[in-house]
Amino acid sequence: MYLFVTQNGGKYFRLDYRFLGKRKTLALGVYPETSLKEARIKRDEARKLLSDSIDPFEAKKARKLKLITETNNSFEAIAAEWHAKMKSKWSEGHAQRKWHLLETNVFPCLVRHPSRV
């Protein structure tokens, strides 16, 4: 674990580790928002994951994705709300076609990304 200092003066706690023969870096937090004590706790958690043969970066990514999907701030949730609002103005067939197009062409690509609204 080390403190990475950028040329602009930003300070970041980082942890370098190897997983499946590859060198990786895990961001532990920004100093001073993340204290040294908190960074050490995160480092210990990452080491525990590594000892269980789990990549800490992938675990962090999975937690973030789970949080995003739980917040209902996804494109799919917003599209469903829009579709329900507009459905009364469309014929039943048109509404079904719109939803089918969203399900087959848009949601598979965008459903995992949070809305930026």
Side-chain angles (χ1 to χ4, degrees), residues 1-3 13 28 30-44:
M1 183 178 85
Y2 58 94
L3 185 67
F13 288 109
L28 300 175
V30 179
Y31 179 81
E33 288 85 21
T34 303
S35 68
L36 179 59
K37 183 177 181 179
E38 292 169 342
R40 286 179 176 160
I41 291 169
K42 289 179 182 182
R43 176 201 60 196
D44 294 340

mmCIF file of all heavy atoms in Angstrom, residues 1-3 13 28 30-44:
data_model
loop_
_atom_site.group_PDB
_atom_site.id
_atom_site.type_symbol
_atom_site.label_atom_id
_atom_site.label_comp_id
_atom_site.label_asym_id
_atom_site.label_seq_id
_atom_site.Cartn_x
_atom_site.Cartn_y
_atom_site.Cartn_z
ATOM 1 N N MET A 1 0.854 -1.171 0.000
ATOM 2 C CA MET A 1 0.000 0.000 0.000
ATOM 3 C C MET A 1 0.903 1.239 0.000
ATOM 4 O O MET A 1 1.941 1.265 0.650
ATOM 5 C CB MET A 1 -0.885 0.008 1.245
ATOM 6 C CG MET A 1 -1.847 1.171 1.253
ATOM 7 S SD MET A 1 -2.957 1.216 2.643
ATOM 8 C CE MET A 1 -1.937 2.032 3.820
ATOM 9 N N TYR A 2 0.465 2.237 -0.756
ATOM 10 C CA TYR A 2 1.257 3.461 -0.827
ATOM 11 C C TYR A 2 0.346 4.642 -1.127
ATOM 12 O O TYR A 2 -0.817 4.474 -1.498
ATOM 13 C CB TYR A 2 2.361 3.346 -1.878
ATOM 14 C CG TYR A 2 1.859 3.055 -3.276
ATOM 15 C CD1 TYR A 2 1.618 4.081 -4.175
ATOM 16 C CD2 TYR A 2 1.632 1.753 -3.701
ATOM 17 C CE1 TYR A 2 1.170 3.825 -5.463
ATOM 18 C CE2 TYR A 2 1.184 1.487 -4.985
ATOM 19 C CZ TYR A 2 0.956 2.518 -5.860
ATOM 20 O OH TYR A 2 0.506 2.264 -7.123
ATOM 21 N N LEU A 3 0.884 5.834 -0.960
ATOM 22 C CA LEU A 3 0.171 7.073 -1.266
ATOM 23 C C LEU A 3 0.699 7.581 -2.602
ATOM 24 O O LEU A 3 1.870 7.915 -2.723
ATOM 25 C CB LEU A 3 0.392 8.110 -0.162
ATOM 26 C CG LEU A 3 -0.409 9.406 -0.301
ATOM 27 C CD1 LEU A 3 -1.895 9.118 -0.123
ATOM 28 C CD2 LEU A 3 0.045 10.423 0.730
ATOM 29 N N PHE A 13 -4.632 6.717 -2.050
ATOM 30 C CA PHE A 13 -4.112 5.474 -1.492
ATOM 31 C C PHE A 13 -4.286 4.388 -2.543
ATOM 32 O O PHE A 13 -5.374 4.231 -3.109
ATOM 33 C CB PHE A 13 -4.863 5.085 -0.217
ATOM 34 C CG PHE A 13 -4.536 5.950 0.958
ATOM 35 C CD1 PHE A 13 -5.452 6.855 1.453
ATOM 36 C CD2 PHE A 13 -3.300 5.845 1.583
ATOM 37 C CE1 PHE A 13 -5.155 7.644 2.545
ATOM 38 C CE2 PHE A 13 -2.987 6.638 2.680
ATOM 39 C CZ PHE A 13 -3.917 7.540 3.154
ATOM 40 N N LEU A 28 -7.781 2.678 -3.114
ATOM 41 C CA LEU A 28 -8.360 2.518 -1.777
ATOM 42 C C LEU A 28 -9.069 3.767 -1.281
ATOM 43 O O LEU A 28 -9.836 3.703 -0.329
ATOM 44 C CB LEU A 28 -7.263 2.117 -0.779
ATOM 45 C CG LEU A 28 -6.532 0.819 -1.085
ATOM 46 C CD1 LEU A 28 -5.408 0.606 -0.095
ATOM 47 C CD2 LEU A 28 -7.478 -0.352 -1.097
ATOM 48 N N VAL A 30 -9.219 8.515 -1.585
ATOM 49 C CA VAL A 30 -8.550 9.796 -1.803
ATOM 50 C C VAL A 30 -8.204 10.395 -0.439
ATOM 51 O O VAL A 30 -9.044 10.429 0.466
ATOM 52 C CB VAL A 30 -9.475 10.762 -2.587
ATOM 53 C CG1 VAL A 30 -8.806 12.097 -2.790
ATOM 54 C CG2 VAL A 30 -9.894 10.146 -3.906
ATOM 55 N N TYR A 31 -6.975 10.835 -0.305
ATOM 56 C CA TYR A 31 -6.545 11.488 0.924
ATOM 57 C C TYR A 31 -6.893 12.970 0.836
ATOM 58 O O TYR A 31 -6.728 13.561 -0.215
ATOM 59 C CB TYR A 31 -5.028 11.320 1.122
ATOM 60 C CG TYR A 31 -4.491 11.974 2.361
ATOM 61 C CD1 TYR A 31 -4.594 11.349 3.581
ATOM 62 C CD2 TYR A 31 -3.930 13.240 2.304
ATOM 63 C CE1 TYR A 31 -4.115 11.955 4.731
ATOM 64 C CE2 TYR A 31 -3.448 13.854 3.448
ATOM 65 C CZ TYR A 31 -3.551 13.204 4.652
ATOM 66 O OH TYR A 31 -3.098 13.810 5.784
ATOM 67 N N PRO A 32 -7.432 13.605 1.805
ATOM 68 C CA PRO A 32 -7.670 13.246 3.196
ATOM 69 C C PRO A 32 -9.069 12.700 3.483
ATOM 70 O O PRO A 32 -9.371 12.409 4.635
ATOM 71 C CB PRO A 32 -7.447 14.561 3.935
ATOM 72 C CG PRO A 32 -7.910 15.610 2.993
ATOM 73 C CD PRO A 32 -7.562 15.064 1.621
ATOM 74 N N GLU A 33 -9.947 12.547 2.462
ATOM 75 C CA GLU A 33 -11.288 12.006 2.716
ATOM 76 C C GLU A 33 -11.199 10.603 3.311
ATOM 77 O O GLU A 33 -12.013 10.221 4.147
ATOM 78 C CB GLU A 33 -12.136 11.968 1.436
ATOM 79 C CG GLU A 33 -12.588 13.327 0.954
ATOM 80 C CD GLU A 33 -11.550 14.015 0.098
ATOM 81 O OE1 GLU A 33 -10.659 13.336 -0.451
ATOM 82 O OE2 GLU A 33 -11.611 15.250 -0.006
ATOM 83 N N THR A 34 -10.214 9.824 2.849
ATOM 84 C CA THR A 34 -9.961 8.498 3.388
ATOM 85 C C THR A 34 -8.742 8.594 4.297
ATOM 86 O O THR A 34 -7.665 8.980 3.850
ATOM 87 C CB THR A 34 -9.697 7.488 2.250
ATOM 88 O OG1 THR A 34 -10.818 7.490 1.372
ATOM 89 C CG2 THR A 34 -9.476 6.102 2.814
ATOM 90 N N SER A 35 -8.924 8.259 5.546
ATOM 91 C CA SER A 35 -7.804 8.335 6.491
ATOM 92 C C SER A 35 -6.877 7.140 6.303
ATOM 93 O O SER A 35 -7.231 6.150 5.646
ATOM 94 C CB SER A 35 -8.327 8.358 7.931
ATOM 95 O OG SER A 35 -8.901 7.108 8.254
ATOM 96 N N LEU A 36 -5.705 7.228 6.881
ATOM 97 C CA LEU A 36 -4.748 6.133 6.816
ATOM 98 C C LEU A 36 -5.336 4.880 7.458
ATOM 99 O O LEU A 36 -5.174 3.768 6.938
ATOM 100 C CB LEU A 36 -3.439 6.525 7.500
ATOM 101 C CG LEU A 36 -2.338 5.466 7.537
ATOM 102 C CD1 LEU A 36 -1.962 5.034 6.127
ATOM 103 C CD2 LEU A 36 -1.121 5.997 8.277
ATOM 104 N N LYS A 37 -6.058 5.047 8.536
ATOM 105 C CA LYS A 37 -6.682 3.913 9.219
ATOM 106 C C LYS A 37 -7.695 3.217 8.299
ATOM 107 O O LYS A 37 -7.713 1.986 8.195
ATOM 108 C CB LYS A 37 -7.367 4.394 10.498
ATOM 109 C CG LYS A 37 -7.976 3.298 11.322
ATOM 110 C CD LYS A 37 -8.579 3.863 12.603
ATOM 111 C CE LYS A 37 -9.182 2.759 13.446
ATOM 112 N NZ LYS A 37 -9.748 3.283 14.699
ATOM 113 N N GLU A 38 -8.530 4.010 7.622
ATOM 114 C CA GLU A 38 -9.511 3.436 6.695
ATOM 115 C C GLU A 38 -8.819 2.736 5.531
ATOM 116 O O GLU A 38 -9.256 1.663 5.097
ATOM 117 C CB GLU A 38 -10.437 4.530 6.167
ATOM 118 C CG GLU A 38 -11.363 5.120 7.207
ATOM 119 C CD GLU A 38 -12.066 6.372 6.704
ATOM 120 O OE1 GLU A 38 -11.615 6.978 5.721
ATOM 121 O OE2 GLU A 38 -13.074 6.749 7.321
ATOM 122 N N ALA A 39 -7.767 3.335 5.010
ATOM 123 C CA ALA A 39 -7.026 2.733 3.903
ATOM 124 C C ALA A 39 -6.422 1.391 4.326
ATOM 125 O O ALA A 39 -6.426 0.426 3.554
ATOM 126 C CB ALA A 39 -5.937 3.679 3.416
ATOM 127 N N ARG A 40 -5.917 1.316 5.553
ATOM 128 C CA ARG A 40 -5.348 0.055 6.050
ATOM 129 C C ARG A 40 -6.430 -1.011 6.196
ATOM 130 O O ARG A 40 -6.202 -2.182 5.912
ATOM 131 C CB ARG A 40 -4.646 0.290 7.378
ATOM 132 C CG ARG A 40 -3.335 1.000 7.221
ATOM 133 C CD ARG A 40 -2.672 1.245 8.550
ATOM 134 N NE ARG A 40 -1.360 1.852 8.364
ATOM 135 C CZ ARG A 40 -0.718 2.507 9.299
ATOM 136 N NH1 ARG A 40 -1.256 2.659 10.508
ATOM 137 N NH2 ARG A 40 0.471 3.021 9.060
ATOM 138 N N ILE A 41 -7.626 -0.609 6.629
ATOM 139 C CA ILE A 41 -8.738 -1.560 6.737
ATOM 140 C C ILE A 41 -9.105 -2.093 5.362
ATOM 141 O O ILE A 41 -9.302 -3.303 5.180
ATOM 142 C CB ILE A 41 -9.945 -0.891 7.439
ATOM 143 C CG1 ILE A 41 -9.631 -0.631 8.907
ATOM 144 C CG2 ILE A 41 -11.199 -1.752 7.303
ATOM 145 C CD1 ILE A 41 -10.640 0.243 9.618
ATOM 146 N N LYS A 42 -9.189 -1.205 4.368
ATOM 147 C CA LYS A 42 -9.502 -1.632 3.000
ATOM 148 C C LYS A 42 -8.408 -2.539 2.451
ATOM 149 O O LYS A 42 -8.681 -3.502 1.740
ATOM 150 C CB LYS A 42 -9.697 -0.418 2.100
ATOM 151 C CG LYS A 42 -10.965 0.341 2.392
ATOM 152 C CD LYS A 42 -11.105 1.548 1.489
ATOM 153 C CE LYS A 42 -12.342 2.358 1.802
ATOM 154 N NZ LYS A 42 -12.503 3.502 0.899
ATOM 155 N N ARG A 43 -7.145 -2.232 2.786
ATOM 156 C CA ARG A 43 -6.026 -3.068 2.356
ATOM 157 C C ARG A 43 -6.166 -4.468 2.938
ATOM 158 O O ARG A 43 -6.008 -5.471 2.229
ATOM 159 C CB ARG A 43 -4.706 -2.454 2.809
ATOM 160 C CG ARG A 43 -3.501 -3.322 2.487
ATOM 161 C CD ARG A 43 -2.314 -3.009 3.333
ATOM 162 N NE ARG A 43 -2.629 -3.223 4.752
ATOM 163 C CZ ARG A 43 -1.894 -2.754 5.739
ATOM 164 N NH1 ARG A 43 -0.823 -2.013 5.509
ATOM 165 N NH2 ARG A 43 -2.224 -3.002 6.991
ATOM 166 N N ASP A 44 -6.510 -4.549 4.222
ATOM 167 C CA ASP A 44 -6.662 -5.852 4.865
ATOM 168 C C ASP A 44 -7.817 -6.647 4.259
ATOM 169 O O ASP A 44 -7.722 -7.865 4.083
ATOM 170 C CB ASP A 44 -6.864 -5.680 6.372
ATOM 171 C CG ASP A 44 -5.632 -5.114 7.064
ATOM 172 O OD1 ASP A 44 -4.519 -5.213 6.479
ATOM 173 O OD2 ASP A 44 -5.776 -4.563 8.178
#
